[in-house]
Structure formats: C-alpha cells, structure tokens
Amino acid sequence: MQYCNRCGSNVSLAIPAGDTLPRHVCQSCGHIHYENPRLVVCCAAEWEGKILLCRRAIEPRHGYWTLPGGFMENGETTAQAAMRETQEEAGADVEVQAPFAMVNIPHINQVHLFYRGQLRSPAFAAGDESLEVRLVAPADIPWNDLAFRSVAFCLERYLADRETARYGFHETNLRPL
Amino acid sequence: MQYCNRCGSNVSLAIPAGDTLPRHVCQSCGHIHYENPRLVVCCAAEWEGKILLCRRAIEPRHGYWTLPGGFMENGETTAQAAMRETQEEAGADVEVQAPFAMVNIPHINQVHLFYRGQLRSPAFAAGDESLEVRLVAPADIPWNDLAFRSVAFCLERYLADRETARYGFHETNLRPL
C-alpha cells in the first residue's frame, strides 16, 4: 500500500496515537488504513451420506478437491456466505445447519469457518470456479488430492463426529509447512 | 474509496471478470480493492465464578459495560486476539478455553466471536480503552448498561450453559434496531 484511498496522497507506516501496531497512515489527510484477517466460509454439505466436493478450476490448487467456500462478503452473514458459495461453486442448494469447524491460518491472515449442511436436492453443477462437482462417499474422499489442509481437518472431524451423531465445534491453527 | 492504494489513480465501481459484485477497481493499474467483513474477538473470562467486564472509555458506547474484545489483527489467531484484547483492555492474563459464541452483524460488516476462558490470577487493571474493570457476579451483571447486543447474547448463553456445565457453540444474527 503506497497511496491513501481517500485522498490519493502518500501513506507511511506509523503507530497511530492510542494504537500499538504500525498502520498505513496518510501523510496528508491522516486517514488510517487498517488491514485485518479475512474470513473464508465453507460448507460440508451432505446428501444421503455423501459429501459434496468440488475440483478447483482456479489457483491456488487448481485441479485439487475442496469443499465449496470462499471469502465472506460485506452485508452477508457467515451462514449466507456458506449457502452462496455452495450455490456458486457447486450449483447446489444447501440447508446450512451449524458452524462446525474453525481453522486459523495466521501466516496468510485468514480464518476458515466451516458449516455443516444438508442438500435440499441432489442437483449440482460445476460453477465457473470448479472443474467438476461430485457427491463423494466417505470411503472415496481423495485425501491425497485435497486442496487445503483446513478442508482435510474439517472432513476428518466431520466424519468422526458423524459416527457418533454428536457434532461439536472444532478449532485448530495451521502453520506454514 | 476514491483512489487506488497501489498507484494513486482513480478507482471506479465495476464488476471484475468472473466476479458477481461491484468492486473498487483502479482505472489505471486494474488493481481490485476487495472489502470484507471484519472479525471482532472477545473473551468471557472467569475468576471464581465472576466474569471480567470492562466499562468503555471510548466510543461507540462510551461508559457502557462490555467483555474485553476488539478487531482481530493480521498475523494472529482468534485465540491470540482474545488473549491480547483481554490483556490490553483489562490488564488481565486469561487462559483461553474454547470458542463459545458467534454473532453476525451484517449491516456493519462485522462478525463477533466470543471465547470463554479462565483468568490465571485475579489481577486486572483498566487499559487505555477502559474506564474501569471489574469481576462481576452473575447476579450483578449490568444488563441495562451493556454496550452491545452481541455481548448480552454471549453472557446470556454463557450463564445458561454454565448452569449445566455443558458449553456449546452458539450463533445468532443481529439486525438494525
């Protein structure tokens, strides 16, 4: 970041009064540009015991399998983000049930939040960001071809909880490999 | 937002290729400025059955009571944010236990995440953003003088779960009053 998005002047790193961390502060108008972690919201959606997976058509991890998900947008709730991403990436209508897992990835300033849900019908179709979409039985999950460690964490905990029919809320942190 | 923070040229609202929502896009360098909801992380910290509350020294809601909390920073985990905010606002050392509640507030593009925790000692002191800090028994919680509805939601659920010693993960959405 080099310029103020309010007035177009140069910004410089400085610790504002009452703050503890350096921020990009405008040298002209004084506007402080805060940067904060982003929420990525995903959904583990089931239909008759199978889980909806998408094969990514975009980087990062093109060609690898993931749960539908993406950056939460302003003006929506986390559950709405989970529904929207499931619709956009997998063409599927999901009834979101509950938050299920949260994965902190501080080195990329992201928090991944996973919901569990049930598809309202077995209809699905690859969206622009997916090469293909499948309903996958637990035994057929492509563990070695999953796109993200957060997705693997969610699926592991989801299948374990499903065994007991008692779903918790699971949290973990990921560090660089 | 009027100017690109990469090159200083004017931005305009446009829907980027492959996107579905208007973004601030630089007319010169093409940089897309995404804006996303921010996570506010708070902590319900206990000591011998009492809960740590802070009276706000800043707006919004100057003079009202809240749980320690604030915007999550880049490079930290949600649990670290809860610990940091408890230290900064209440001068207290908390052992964070588990995520406990999540409150979506889409009209202000915020998600409030509450942890529960135990103080490591009964030491506390008002930070710069607090007028005073107290350990408050459940019967003495100032329900009519709480700063935020999300804090009331968390405290209600927390006290209810504490009765049964079974803590869940609770979610709600707030709309404008």
Side-chain angles (χ1 to χ4, degrees), chain B residues 23-163:
Chain B
R23 315 285 180 184
H24 288 100
V25 181
C26 180
Q27 294 170 17
S28 174
C29 77
H31 180 62
I32 303 167
H33 300 75
Y34 294 98
E35 293 177 278
N36 300 89
R38 294 201 288 173
L39 266 166
V40 172
V41 184
C42 311
C43 193
E46 248 191 68
W47 178 262
E48 294 182 350
K50 293 182 176 180
I51 297 164
L52 190 72
L53 294 182
C54 304
R55 199 154 72 87
R56 289 172 64 81
I58 54 172
E59 295 294 347
R61 303 293 279 159
H62 182 283
Y64 288 83
W65 291 89
T66 190
L67 294 167
F71 289 110
M72 184 182 176
E73 299 283 1
N74 279 351
E76 68 183 359
T77 66
T78 44
Q80 287 170 336
M83 280 185 280
R84 177 182 53 72
E85 290 287 350
T86 304
Q87 185 60 247
E88 286 178 8
E89 298 191 349
D93 184 13
V94 66
E95 182 186 347
V96 164
Q97 294 175 301
F100 175 72
M102 184 172 68
V103 180
N104 274 275
I105 316 175
H107 60 282
I108 56 169
N109 306 317
Q110 291 184 5
V111 178
H112 292 191
L113 179 70
F114 294 85
Y115 278 83
R116 56 187 177 84
Q118 295 287 332
L119 292 187
R120 290 196 169 91
S121 81
F124 56 84
D128 288 345
E129 299 185 0
S130 303
L131 296 171
E132 57 176 314
V133 177
R134 286 192 200 166
L135 280 169
V136 178
D140 298 328
I141 289 175
W143 294 103
N144 293 325
D145 292 318
L146 292 179
F148 306 111
R149 286 184 284 162
S150 63
V151 170
F153 173 80
C154 174
L155 286 171
E156 286 166 7
R157 297 302 169 100
Y158 182 78
L159 295 177
D161 280 12
R162 203 174 66 161
E163 290 285 313

Side-chain angles (χ1 to χ4, degrees), chain A residues 54-57 60-66 131 144-148:
Chain A
C54 304
R55 199 153 73 86
R56 288 173 63 83
R61 303 292 280 160
H62 182 283
Y64 288 83
W65 292 89
T66 190
L131 296 170
N144 293 325
D145 292 318
L146 292 180
F148 305 111

Side-chain angles (χ1 to χ4, degrees), chain A residues 13-36:
Chain A
L13 281 173
I15 299 177
D19 203 340
T20 56
L21 292 172
R23 316 284 181 184
H24 287 100
V25 181
C26 180
Q27 294 170 15
S28 174
C29 78
H31 181 61
I32 303 166
H33 300 76
Y34 293 98
E35 294 177 279
N36 301 89

Side-chain angles (χ1 to χ4, degrees), chain A residues 23 73 78 104 115 171, chain B residues 5 23 73 78 104 115 171:
Chain A
R23 316 284 181 184
E73 299 282 3
T78 45
N104 274 276
Y115 278 83
E171 183 189 23
Chain B
N5 56 30
R23 315 285 180 184
E73 299 283 1
T78 44
N104 274 275
Y115 278 83
E171 182 190 24

Side-chain angles (χ1 to χ4, degrees), chain A residues 61-133:
Chain A
R61 303 292 280 160
H62 182 283
Y64 288 83
W65 292 89
T66 190
L67 294 167
F71 290 110
M72 185 181 177
E73 299 282 3
N74 279 351
E76 68 185 359
T77 66
T78 45
Q80 287 170 336
M83 280 186 277
R84 178 182 53 72
E85 290 288 349
T86 305
Q87 185 60 247
E88 286 178 8
E89 297 191 351
D93 185 13
V94 66
E95 182 186 346
V96 164
Q97 293 175 302
F100 176 73
M102 184 172 68
V103 181
N104 274 276
I105 317 175
H107 60 281
I108 56 170
N109 306 319
Q110 290 184 5
V111 178
H112 292 192
L113 179 70
F114 294 85
Y115 278 83
R116 57 189 177 83
Q118 296 286 330
L119 293 187
R120 291 198 169 89
S121 81
F124 55 82
D128 288 345
E129 298 185 1
S130 303
L131 296 170
E132 57 176 314
V133 178

Side-chain angles (χ1 to χ4, degrees), chain A residues 160-173:
Chain A
D161 280 10
R162 203 173 66 162
E163 291 284 315
T164 64
R166 290 179 61 90
Y167 294 95
F169 185 75
H170 304 277
E171 183 189 23
T172 195
N173 303 326

